[in-house]
Amino acid sequence: MFEHLSINSPYANFYRDENCARIESELPITILNRVFDYKAPNDNKNDATRQVQSIIDSYRERGVKCVWHTYSHTQYEIVNETLISNRFILSGIMSGMAVDLEEKTVNQSYVPGLRIVTVHTDEELETFKRVFVAEYGLPDELAHAFTEAFAYDPEGKMQYFLAYLNDVPVGTTMTFSKGEVTGIYMVATLKEFRKRGIGGALVGHALRDMQVAGATLAILQASSMGQTIYRKHGFEELLTINLFI
């Protein structure tokens, strides 16, 4: 998903090599400055320490913070030690969750007055951006630059969904598909409209759309707060993701 966003954005670049994947941006937004899937070269502590330090320095030299992801199924103490020695702290833990869509009957919630649409027009896309920016509290000077990454995908891998409650735009989600696997991202409901089932309805709508498109597996990352919604749709935790910043 991050690789695809970087293609759309003039402000971000995505790199992948045999040791890790990372997204880099001059914008001081951590969502566009991240390191994923790091693998220590030959399990050599000295080489790994130098490499991790070099990656950290590349972000600091540009004056931006990065978020480094580590995973429960591939813990490298070398990485953790180097991050901590560089004043990184564990800022959060996410759950990597999945649900098998081949045998899943999607729970599509009914919320009175709620209408969910697939974004097809420029006006709808701009509304999607406004709702997302309002929910995540991005400052005006960064909001436009960041949301330039949200663009139509001629290949159809990326889909945007917008929720209206009594014709007022109140929520968003996005999906990104690769083969038969689809990820759910950017599930957001404006604060004043929460606890009405809108987030769950967005997830159900996206899952049904995935099934129709032929996806067999849905994946996502969830905070502890969001897990309740996702478990109601059959998602189960497969791993945990540590976020160092």
Side-chain angles (χ1 to χ4, degrees), residues 1 3 14-22 36-37 39 178:
M1 189 273 286
E3 182 174 7
F14 184 88
Y15 306 95
R16 184 185 292 277
D17 58 31
E18 60 185 4
N19 296 119
C20 71
R22 65 188 190 275
F36 314 88
D37 300 329
K39 300 177 181 64
K178 189 171 183 179

PDB file of all heavy atoms in Angstrom, residues 1 3 14-22 36-37 39 178:
ATOM      1  N   MET A   1       0.825  -1.197   0.000  1.00  0.00           N
ATOM      2  CA  MET A   1       0.000   0.000   0.000  1.00  0.00           C
ATOM      3  C   MET A   1       0.865   1.255   0.000  1.00  0.00           C
ATOM      4  O   MET A   1       0.623   2.198  -0.745  1.00  0.00           O
ATOM      5  CB  MET A   1      -0.932  -0.020   1.214  1.00  0.00           C
ATOM      6  CG  MET A   1      -2.004   1.070   1.207  1.00  0.00           C
ATOM      7  SD  MET A   1      -1.534   2.666   1.909  1.00  0.00           S
ATOM      8  CE  MET A   1      -1.522   2.296   3.647  1.00  0.00           C
ATOM      9  N   GLU A   3       3.910   1.572  -1.033  1.00  0.00           N
ATOM     10  CA  GLU A   3       4.576   1.696  -2.332  1.00  0.00           C
ATOM     11  C   GLU A   3       3.642   2.352  -3.340  1.00  0.00           C
ATOM     12  O   GLU A   3       4.057   3.219  -4.125  1.00  0.00           O
ATOM     13  CB  GLU A   3       5.012   0.317  -2.823  1.00  0.00           C
ATOM     14  CG  GLU A   3       5.765   0.346  -4.144  1.00  0.00           C
ATOM     15  CD  GLU A   3       6.312  -1.015  -4.533  1.00  0.00           C
ATOM     16  OE1 GLU A   3       5.994  -2.009  -3.849  1.00  0.00           O
ATOM     17  OE2 GLU A   3       7.048  -1.077  -5.526  1.00  0.00           O
ATOM     18  N   PHE A  14       9.448   5.275  -2.080  1.00  0.00           N
ATOM     19  CA  PHE A  14       9.430   3.954  -1.456  1.00  0.00           C
ATOM     20  C   PHE A  14      10.624   3.164  -1.959  1.00  0.00           C
ATOM     21  O   PHE A  14      10.921   3.159  -3.158  1.00  0.00           O
ATOM     22  CB  PHE A  14       8.130   3.225  -1.810  1.00  0.00           C
ATOM     23  CG  PHE A  14       7.986   1.893  -1.125  1.00  0.00           C
ATOM     24  CD1 PHE A  14       7.400   1.804   0.128  1.00  0.00           C
ATOM     25  CD2 PHE A  14       8.421   0.727  -1.751  1.00  0.00           C
ATOM     26  CE1 PHE A  14       7.259   0.575   0.766  1.00  0.00           C
ATOM     27  CE2 PHE A  14       8.282  -0.507  -1.121  1.00  0.00           C
ATOM     28  CZ  PHE A  14       7.700  -0.583   0.142  1.00  0.00           C
ATOM     29  N   TYR A  15      11.311   2.499  -1.033  1.00  0.00           N
ATOM     30  CA  TYR A  15      12.475   1.696  -1.381  1.00  0.00           C
ATOM     31  C   TYR A  15      12.332   0.305  -0.771  1.00  0.00           C
ATOM     32  O   TYR A  15      11.843   0.146   0.350  1.00  0.00           O
ATOM     33  CB  TYR A  15      13.765   2.332  -0.851  1.00  0.00           C
ATOM     34  CG  TYR A  15      13.975   3.756  -1.271  1.00  0.00           C
ATOM     35  CD1 TYR A  15      13.581   4.812  -0.449  1.00  0.00           C
ATOM     36  CD2 TYR A  15      14.571   4.062  -2.493  1.00  0.00           C
ATOM     37  CE1 TYR A  15      13.778   6.124  -0.834  1.00  0.00           C
ATOM     38  CE2 TYR A  15      14.772   5.384  -2.883  1.00  0.00           C
ATOM     39  CZ  TYR A  15      14.372   6.404  -2.056  1.00  0.00           C
ATOM     40  OH  TYR A  15      14.562   7.717  -2.433  1.00  0.00           O
ATOM     41  N   ARG A  16      12.792  -0.700  -1.490  1.00  0.00           N
ATOM     42  CA  ARG A  16      12.840  -2.052  -0.944  1.00  0.00           C
ATOM     43  C   ARG A  16      14.129  -2.722  -1.413  1.00  0.00           C
ATOM     44  O   ARG A  16      14.461  -2.685  -2.597  1.00  0.00           O
ATOM     45  CB  ARG A  16      11.633  -2.881  -1.406  1.00  0.00           C
ATOM     46  CG  ARG A  16      11.596  -4.282  -0.775  1.00  0.00           C
ATOM     47  CD  ARG A  16      10.457  -5.117  -1.334  1.00  0.00           C
ATOM     48  NE  ARG A  16       9.169  -4.606  -0.937  1.00  0.00           N
ATOM     49  CZ  ARG A  16       8.575  -4.863   0.231  1.00  0.00           C
ATOM     50  NH1 ARG A  16       9.206  -5.613   1.128  1.00  0.00           N
ATOM     51  NH2 ARG A  16       7.388  -4.373   0.505  1.00  0.00           N
ATOM     52  N   ASP A  17      14.849  -3.326  -0.467  1.00  0.00           N
ATOM     53  CA  ASP A  17      16.024  -4.115  -0.818  1.00  0.00           C
ATOM     54  C   ASP A  17      15.969  -5.420  -0.038  1.00  0.00           C
ATOM     55  O   ASP A  17      14.940  -5.747   0.561  1.00  0.00           O
ATOM     56  CB  ASP A  17      17.323  -3.344  -0.567  1.00  0.00           C
ATOM     57  CG  ASP A  17      17.481  -2.898   0.885  1.00  0.00           C
ATOM     58  OD1 ASP A  17      16.987  -3.598   1.782  1.00  0.00           O
ATOM     59  OD2 ASP A  17      18.107  -1.850   1.125  1.00  0.00           O
ATOM     60  N   GLU A  18      17.061  -6.163  -0.032  1.00  0.00           N
ATOM     61  CA  GLU A  18      17.041  -7.483   0.597  1.00  0.00           C
ATOM     62  C   GLU A  18      16.935  -7.417   2.115  1.00  0.00           C
ATOM     63  O   GLU A  18      16.619  -8.417   2.768  1.00  0.00           O
ATOM     64  CB  GLU A  18      18.305  -8.256   0.225  1.00  0.00           C
ATOM     65  CG  GLU A  18      19.589  -7.573   0.658  1.00  0.00           C
ATOM     66  CD  GLU A  18      20.830  -8.301   0.179  1.00  0.00           C
ATOM     67  OE1 GLU A  18      20.683  -9.299  -0.548  1.00  0.00           O
ATOM     68  OE2 GLU A  18      21.934  -7.865   0.530  1.00  0.00           O
ATOM     69  N   ASN A  19      17.148  -6.224   2.697  1.00  0.00           N
ATOM     70  CA  ASN A  19      17.124  -6.111   4.148  1.00  0.00           C
ATOM     71  C   ASN A  19      15.882  -5.443   4.724  1.00  0.00           C
ATOM     72  O   ASN A  19      15.506  -5.711   5.866  1.00  0.00           O
ATOM     73  CB  ASN A  19      18.369  -5.361   4.646  1.00  0.00           C
ATOM     74  CG  ASN A  19      19.648  -6.113   4.355  1.00  0.00           C
ATOM     75  OD1 ASN A  19      20.513  -5.630   3.643  1.00  0.00           O
ATOM     76  ND2 ASN A  19      19.768  -7.323   4.891  1.00  0.00           N
ATOM     77  N   CYS A  20      15.235  -4.558   3.966  1.00  0.00           N
ATOM     78  CA  CYS A  20      14.057  -3.889   4.510  1.00  0.00           C
ATOM     79  C   CYS A  20      13.303  -3.143   3.410  1.00  0.00           C
ATOM     80  O   CYS A  20      13.771  -3.016   2.276  1.00  0.00           O
ATOM     81  CB  CYS A  20      14.437  -2.903   5.615  1.00  0.00           C
ATOM     82  SG  CYS A  20      15.281  -1.409   5.056  1.00  0.00           S
ATOM     83  N   ALA A  21      12.124  -2.655   3.790  1.00  0.00           N
ATOM     84  CA  ALA A  21      11.366  -1.730   2.955  1.00  0.00           C
ATOM     85  C   ALA A  21      11.212  -0.448   3.757  1.00  0.00           C
ATOM     86  O   ALA A  21      11.133  -0.481   4.995  1.00  0.00           O
ATOM     87  CB  ALA A  21      10.006  -2.306   2.599  1.00  0.00           C
ATOM     88  N   ARG A  22      11.180   0.684   3.069  1.00  0.00           N
ATOM     89  CA  ARG A  22      10.996   1.937   3.796  1.00  0.00           C
ATOM     90  C   ARG A  22      10.361   2.973   2.886  1.00  0.00           C
ATOM     91  O   ARG A  22      10.530   2.941   1.667  1.00  0.00           O
ATOM     92  CB  ARG A  22      12.304   2.450   4.374  1.00  0.00           C
ATOM     93  CG  ARG A  22      13.367   2.844   3.378  1.00  0.00           C
ATOM     94  CD  ARG A  22      14.686   3.143   4.092  1.00  0.00           C
ATOM     95  NE  ARG A  22      15.670   3.746   3.210  1.00  0.00           N
ATOM     96  CZ  ARG A  22      16.491   3.054   2.421  1.00  0.00           C
ATOM     97  NH1 ARG A  22      16.444   1.736   2.410  1.00  0.00           N
ATOM     98  NH2 ARG A  22      17.358   3.685   1.643  1.00  0.00           N
ATOM     99  N   PHE A  36      10.028  -0.945   7.443  1.00  0.00           N
ATOM    100  CA  PHE A  36       9.278  -2.192   7.605  1.00  0.00           C
ATOM    101  C   PHE A  36      10.181  -3.396   7.305  1.00  0.00           C
ATOM    102  O   PHE A  36      11.144  -3.299   6.546  1.00  0.00           O
ATOM    103  CB  PHE A  36       8.111  -2.278   6.609  1.00  0.00           C
ATOM    104  CG  PHE A  36       7.276  -1.040   6.493  1.00  0.00           C
ATOM    105  CD1 PHE A  36       7.608  -0.032   5.604  1.00  0.00           C
ATOM    106  CD2 PHE A  36       6.140  -0.882   7.266  1.00  0.00           C
ATOM    107  CE1 PHE A  36       6.831   1.104   5.479  1.00  0.00           C
ATOM    108  CE2 PHE A  36       5.352   0.243   7.152  1.00  0.00           C
ATOM    109  CZ  PHE A  36       5.698   1.237   6.253  1.00  0.00           C
ATOM    110  N   ASP A  37       9.795  -4.525   7.844  1.00  0.00           N
ATOM    111  CA  ASP A  37      10.322  -5.839   7.406  1.00  0.00           C
ATOM    112  C   ASP A  37      11.844  -5.916   7.416  1.00  0.00           C
ATOM    113  O   ASP A  37      12.446  -6.510   6.517  1.00  0.00           O
ATOM    114  CB  ASP A  37       9.820  -6.166   5.991  1.00  0.00           C
ATOM    115  CG  ASP A  37       8.311  -6.231   5.907  1.00  0.00           C
ATOM    116  OD1 ASP A  37       7.684  -6.597   6.903  1.00  0.00           O
ATOM    117  OD2 ASP A  37       7.761  -5.912   4.835  1.00  0.00           O
ATOM    118  N   LYS A  39      15.440  -7.232   8.027  1.00  0.00           N
ATOM    119  CA  LYS A  39      16.090  -8.528   8.236  1.00  0.00           C
ATOM    120  C   LYS A  39      17.584  -8.284   8.392  1.00  0.00           C
ATOM    121  O   LYS A  39      18.220  -7.711   7.509  1.00  0.00           O
ATOM    122  CB  LYS A  39      15.824  -9.466   7.058  1.00  0.00           C
ATOM    123  CG  LYS A  39      14.358  -9.764   6.810  1.00  0.00           C
ATOM    124  CD  LYS A  39      14.178 -10.637   5.584  1.00  0.00           C
ATOM    125  CE  LYS A  39      12.705 -10.927   5.306  1.00  0.00           C
ATOM    126  NZ  LYS A  39      11.963  -9.681   4.972  1.00  0.00           N
ATOM    127  N   LYS A 178      -3.790  -6.950  -3.717  1.00  0.00           N
ATOM    128  CA  LYS A 178      -2.651  -7.526  -4.426  1.00  0.00           C
ATOM    129  C   LYS A 178      -2.930  -9.012  -4.563  1.00  0.00           C
ATOM    130  O   LYS A 178      -2.908  -9.757  -3.582  1.00  0.00           O
ATOM    131  CB  LYS A 178      -1.348  -7.283  -3.659  1.00  0.00           C
ATOM    132  CG  LYS A 178      -0.108  -7.664  -4.449  1.00  0.00           C
ATOM    133  CD  LYS A 178       1.158  -7.220  -3.745  1.00  0.00           C
ATOM    134  CE  LYS A 178       2.390  -7.536  -4.579  1.00  0.00           C
ATOM    135  NZ  LYS A 178       3.639  -7.081  -3.914  1.00  0.00           N
TER     136      LYS A 178
END
